[in-house]
Each structure stands twice: as C-alpha cells, then as structure tokens.
Amino acid sequence: MAKYQDLADAIIAGDNIKSKEITQKLVDSGVKATEILNGGLVPGMDVVGVRFKANEMYIPEVLIAARAMHAAMDIIKPLLAEAGTVMKGIIVVGTVQGDLHDIGKNLVCMMLEGGGYTVVDVGVDVPGDKFVEEVKKSGAKVVGLSALLTTTMPAMKDVIVALKADAATKDVKVMVGGAPLTQEYADSIGASGYAADASSAVDLAKKLVG
Ligand code: B12
C-alpha cells in the first residue's frame, strides 16, 4: 500500500502525477482525507519550507512542489468538506492596491494551504474595502498583505485602518510581507506580524491563529 512518506516524497520532488496517484490509492484504500493531509501533504510541504529557507530549494522548485500538493488537494478537498473537517483557520491573502506582483503572495498562499489553512486568495491590486468585504464573507481571523513596491507599502496601512474601522473586522490579525518590508515597518503601521518568507509566514500564522 502507498505510504505517507511516498506522498511526502512526491510533493518534495514536485511530481504531481505521483502525488495524485498515491493520494487516490490512499483514498481508495479507505484512508481518511485528514490523515492524508496531515500524514503526507503537510509534512512534505514542511520539508519544502525548511529547504527553501536554507537555500537548498529555489522558487521554481517550490512552485513545482506546490503544484504537486495542489494536485493531491484537488482529490481530498471534496472529502474534507464532506467530513466537515475544520482546517486550522481561514486566512484572506492579497497584494495591496497599486501592486501587481503576485509570485511571493502565491507562494505564501500555497505554503499556508500546505500548512492546513483555508486560504482565500483575493488577488492583486486589492483595495482596503475589498479586504474588509472578504473577511466578513469568509469569517477569516487573519489577513495576509503583500507589497513589493516601496510606493505601495503605505497601502498596507490603509487596509489595516479600513479593517479597524469596521466593528466586524476590527479584531482581525494582519500579517505583512514582501521584499521591501521590515519588522520595523510592520510595527510602525500597526500590523500584528511580519514574515520574511513563505515558510515563516506559516509559523507566523500559527502564532496569530493561536
Ligand atoms: C517579477 C517582478 C515583476 C513582474 C511581476 C510578475 C508577477 N506576476 O508577480 C512584473 C514584470 C509585472 C513587474 C512589474 C513592475 N515592477 Co517588479 N519586480 C519583479 C522582481 C524581478 C521579482 C519579484 C518576485 O516575484 N520575487 C520572488 C518572490 C518569491 O519574492 P517576494 O515577492 O519577495 O516574496 C517572498 C517574501 O517577500 C514573502 N512575502 C511576500 N508576500 C508576502 C505576504 C505575506 C503576508 C507574508 C507573511 C510574506 C510575504 O514570502 C515570499 C516567498 O518567500 C522584482 C525584483 C526582485 N528581485 O525582487 C522586481 C521589483 C519588485 N519590481 C520593481 C518595479 C519598479 C516594478 C515596476 C514599477 C516596473 C515598471 N517600471 O513598470 C512594475 C510595477 C507594476 C505594479 N504596479 O505592480 C522594483 C521595485 C522597486 C521599489 N523599491 O519599489 C523591483 C525591486 C525591481 C528593481 N530592483 O527595481 N515586476
């Protein structure tokens, strides 16, 4: 029978055909979707995160690993929903208004999904009121903001202000990231946290969701 380690290895190797095959075999042999997620997919993406941080894996390999994870997730997602599985939490993620960069944001979304979170990806060039609307719709407790331009960093503060101004979203935690960001800048705009890369974003989400 296919083993979790084989699945984790397929994710790490970015083999989406194998990851799909093994996941299907596990499902067919009666293994629960949550066990596939926590036993194979999440540990696989954890290794990817650690290797990426250590510069042992690079962006294209991470994207390919994430694609393999998505292929497996496509099979188990409906089963997770059927079983009413509570994922670790809902996180709304987007690139702020005026900014079209999305490679880093997409990586963060994929790693968060790999970490067991439900991600609502709201895309790029997203204004504050859209974040407010999406948080209300999804019931998210955390928002992730990405900015790659020094000129769009201030738009992060606008989102935080918009979230705080609405009674329904004022307690939402906001994590920020993107190449020009620093912890100091995050503190200065009242963000709840900053992470320098996608795998640290998962650690930060864990802290923020509690
Ligand atoms: C690819 C790219 C583009 C692509 C974007 C394609 C796309 N779909 O994203 C295109 C060609 C469209 C583009 C356009 C522009 N770009 Co550009 N671009 C880049 C480039 C080369 C790479 C960015 C990237 O994807 N990095 C890889 C990812 C993985 O890294 P990352 O985004 O930092 O994300 C990681 C972390 O920051 C973190 N993270 C990211 N988001 C988040 C969110 C959260 C919540 C958390 C916790 C963490 C986190 O985790 C990620 C993964 O580890 C950079 C140069 C560079 N080396 O950074 C310039 C760069 C960002 N661009 C720049 C500029 C100036 C522009 C343009 C204005 C150019 C122009 N004159 O038209 C336009 C602006 C368009 C707009 N309105 O947004 C400048 C910005 C300078 C500045 N100081 O502001 C840079 C730095 C290039 C340079 N040296 O001049 N760009």
Side-chain angles (χ1 to χ4, degrees):
M1 197 181 90
K3 295 196 197 75
Y4 294 141
Q5 189 58 49
D6 298 335
L7 182 54
D9 288 344
I11 301 294
I12 298 161
D15 190 334
N16 61 326
I17 295 171
K18 228 180 189 169
S19 73
K20 236 167 44 188
E21 252 174 41
I22 298 173
T23 302
Q24 192 60 58
K25 269 191 199 151
L26 288 167
V27 169
D28 293 345
S29 59
V31 179
K32 281 195 194 135
T34 37
E35 284 168 20
I36 299 174
L37 179 70
N38 296 322
L41 299 180
V42 172
M45 280 311 277
D46 276 349
V47 171
V48 172
V50 170
R51 291 193 185 166
F52 177 59
K53 229 182 204 171
N55 291 325
E56 290 166 14
M57 270 176 101
Y58 296 98
I59 291 162
E61 294 162 290
V62 176
L63 291 174
I64 293 169
R67 187 188 60 176
M69 188 202 72
H70 271 278
M73 283 296 283
D74 283 347
I75 298 173
I76 62 165
K77 249 186 198 162
L79 304 171
L80 289 171
E82 250 170 51
T85 305
V86 182
M87 299 287 272
K88 285 184 188 160
I90 304 166
I91 307 183
V92 169
V93 184
T95 302
V96 295
Q97 189 159 32
D99 202 319
L100 302 175
H101 295 84
D102 69 356
I103 298 168
K105 167 191 72 67
N106 293 346
L107 271 176
V108 169
C109 289
M110 289 167 181
M111 293 299 279
L112 288 172
E113 279 188 350
Y117 294 90
T118 301
V119 174
V120 179
D121 181 352
V122 290
V124 296
D125 192 16
V126 182
D129 53 357
K130 174 78 176 157
F131 279 104
V132 173
E133 187 191 317
E134 292 293 336
V135 168
K136 284 183 181 168
K137 235 196 306 182
S138 64
K141 297 278 181 279
V142 177
V143 168
L145 303 177
S146 183
L148 262 288
L149 299 170
T150 45
T151 49
T152 57
M153 285 162 59
M156 293 181 144
K157 178 153 190 200
D158 298 343
V159 178
I160 292 172
V161 168
L163 288 166
K164 290 227 183 303
D166 194 305
T169 58
K170 67 177 181 14
D171 296 325
V172 159
K173 303 264 183 2
V174 179
M175 57 179 188
V176 295
L181 273 273
T182 58
Q183 182 66 57
E184 291 67 41
Y185 188 79
D187 293 341
S188 78
I189 59 171
S192 324
Y194 158 77
D197 56 61
S199 54
S200 314
V202 181
D203 299 337
L204 178 59
K206 264 183 219 155
K207 256 193 245 158
L208 296 179
V209 172

